[in-house]
């Protein structure tokens, strides 16, 4: 297993605070929620950064956490976090070119391990559809307290639906002001169809000046007070 030193990623106070809220939602969701997928409507909304921040935040609490980048089409996570020391990733493993030990990286953050995407491929579905992916996540469940899975956007490609089969719950990242309500609703419905319960919505890239006090409530538990309030209306 490689050990890598992650490039420092600066967290603003607001994001750190909200990441702790998201983490709390997860911790209080019960022991059967272990594998969580991060998705969004389109790319660039901040899934990868949110996945990493959540995984790091869980590790900092002493939870053994694995971050898996399944965005085999367009991943940028490795460029953000690694200085070029990592060679192989998930696509190498799933195509039989690497062992699992070769692709799991220990990091300088105690308790946080990462599997990067590996070489980007044009049709990842074939790799995810193999039993190997499902079996591997199943085995890793006994090694880690939490597995955070970064996926491609659910509103754009079907890879995330295939990946959702191994997940217990999902978190939807929405870029503030950039996604139409109807589009978000479609993705929420899709998650319901996939039977991947929505654990929370992370409203990302909120303009702090415009948002004012709302900023403090960026990450809300989806079926929490907001939902109840709407139902009671
Ligand atoms: N809270 C945020 N505020 C400002 N920029 C952000 C925030 N979260 C992510 N970004 C930036 O947005 C871009 C896309 O983020 P990324 O996590 O790669 O999105 P995705 O994985 O959904 O495609 C990156 O350049 C990232 O640095
Ligand atoms: Mg990404």
């Amino acid at each position: 297993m490689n050990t890598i030193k992650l490039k420092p990623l600066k967290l603003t106070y607001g994001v750190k605070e909200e990441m702790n809220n998201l983490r709390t939602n997860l911790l209080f969701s019960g022991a059967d929620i272990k594998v969580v997928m991060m998705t969004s409507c389109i790319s660039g909304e901040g899934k990868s950064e949110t996945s990493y921040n959540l995984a790091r935040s869980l590790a900092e609490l002493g939870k053994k956490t694995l971050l898996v980048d399944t965005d085999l089409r367009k991943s940028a996570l490795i460029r953000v976090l690694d200085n070029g020391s990592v060679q192989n990733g998930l696509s190498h493993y799933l195509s039989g070119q690497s062992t699992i030990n070769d692709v799991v990286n220990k990091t300088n953050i105690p308790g946080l391990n990462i599997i990067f995407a590996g070489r980007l491929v044009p049709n990842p579905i074939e790799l995810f559809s193999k039993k190997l992916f499902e079996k591997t996540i199943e085995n890793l469940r006994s090694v880690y307290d939490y597995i955070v899975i970064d996926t491609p956007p659910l509103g754009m490609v079907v890879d995330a639906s295939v990946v959702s089969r191994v997940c217990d719950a999902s978190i939807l990242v929405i870029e503030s002001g950039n996604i139409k309500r109807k589009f978000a609703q479609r993705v929420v419905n899709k998650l319901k169809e996939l039977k991947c319960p929505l654990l929370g919505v992370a409203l990302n890239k909120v303009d702090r000046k415009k948002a004012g006090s709302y900023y403090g409530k960026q990450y809300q538990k989806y079926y929490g007070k907001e939902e109840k309030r709407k139902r009671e209306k």
Side-chain angles (χ1 to χ4, degrees):
M1 207 182 280
N2 311 319
T3 302
I4 56 168
K5 187 169 184 314
L6 300 174
K7 286 193 214 167
L9 195 67
K10 250 177 127 181
L11 276 189
T12 61
Y13 177 76
V15 170
K16 201 172 164 75
E17 183 91 329
E18 299 310 329
M19 211 41 64
N20 290 347
N21 290 344
L22 205 54
R23 180 181 69 182
T24 305
N25 285 351
L26 185 54
L27 294 174
F28 282 88
S29 296
D32 49 346
I33 306 262
K34 192 175 241 235
V35 183
V36 182
M37 130 180 156
M38 198 72 70
T39 192
S40 65
C41 296
I42 57 171
S43 71
E45 294 192 78
K47 275 181 308 299
S48 297
E49 285 209 19
T50 309
S51 303
Y52 166 66
N53 287 335
L54 176 64
R56 181 170 107 174
S57 158
L58 285 162
E60 281 169 356
L61 204 72
K63 302 288 176 195
K64 194 152 196 259
T65 305
L66 177 69
L67 172 61
V68 186
D69 185 357
T70 67
D71 191 349
L72 301 191
R73 289 177 199 261
K74 208 185 162 185
S75 177
L77 197 61
I78 192 158
R79 283 202 302 277
V80 177
L81 296 176
D82 178 62
N83 281 312
S85 62
V86 175
Q87 300 296 326
N88 292 348
L90 188 63
S91 63
H92 296 92
Y93 170 66
L94 292 178
S95 60
Q97 299 177 66
S98 299
T99 65
I100 190 75
N101 253 335
D102 289 338
V103 296
V104 176
N105 300 284
K106 274 192 180 164
T107 69
N108 52 314
I109 297 164
L112 177 63
N113 289 0
I114 303 185
I115 300 179
F116 289 104
R119 197 193 156 90
L120 302 184
V121 294
N123 193 7
I125 304 247
E126 282 170 25
L127 292 179
F128 291 127
S129 303
K130 286 185 186 160
K131 274 270 169 284
L132 181 62
F133 178 63
E134 223 171 295
K135 261 197 342 225
T136 305
I137 299 292
E138 221 36 66
N139 291 342
L140 292 169
R141 277 176 186 268
S142 57
V143 181
Y144 293 93
D145 295 313
Y146 287 101
I147 301 176
V148 178
I149 302 200
D150 184 15
T151 71
L154 191 56
M156 310 273 287
V157 283
V158 288
D159 308 8
S161 349
V162 185
V163 172
S164 76
R165 287 187 209 146
V166 304
C167 302
D168 307 319
S170 55
I171 292 167
L172 181 62
V173 177
I174 298 215
E175 181 175 348
S176 168
N178 200 25
I179 297 297
K180 291 245 163 42
R181 194 191 164 88
K182 268 194 181 157
F183 193 6
Q185 191 59 53
R186 261 212 321 270
V187 170
V188 169
N189 289 342
K190 186 106 170 240
L191 287 168
K192 275 189 197 150
E193 262 170 48
L194 294 169
K195 302 207 165 40
C196 195
L198 187 56
L199 198 67
V201 174
L203 192 60
N204 202 20
K205 305 194 194 178
V206 175
D207 183 335
R208 292 189 94 170
K209 283 188 206 108
K210 277 196 210 152
S213 62
Y214 181 72
Y215 188 77
K217 296 180 192 138
Q218 260 186 73
Y219 299 102
Q220 301 204 348
K221 192 156 197 274
Y222 189 69
Y223 293 111
K225 285 193 189 112
E226 265 298 288
E227 249 328 79
K228 193 161 168 262
R229 192 174 56 76
K230 272 190 233 141
R231 277 202 304 271
E232 283 167 356
K233 260 190 186 169

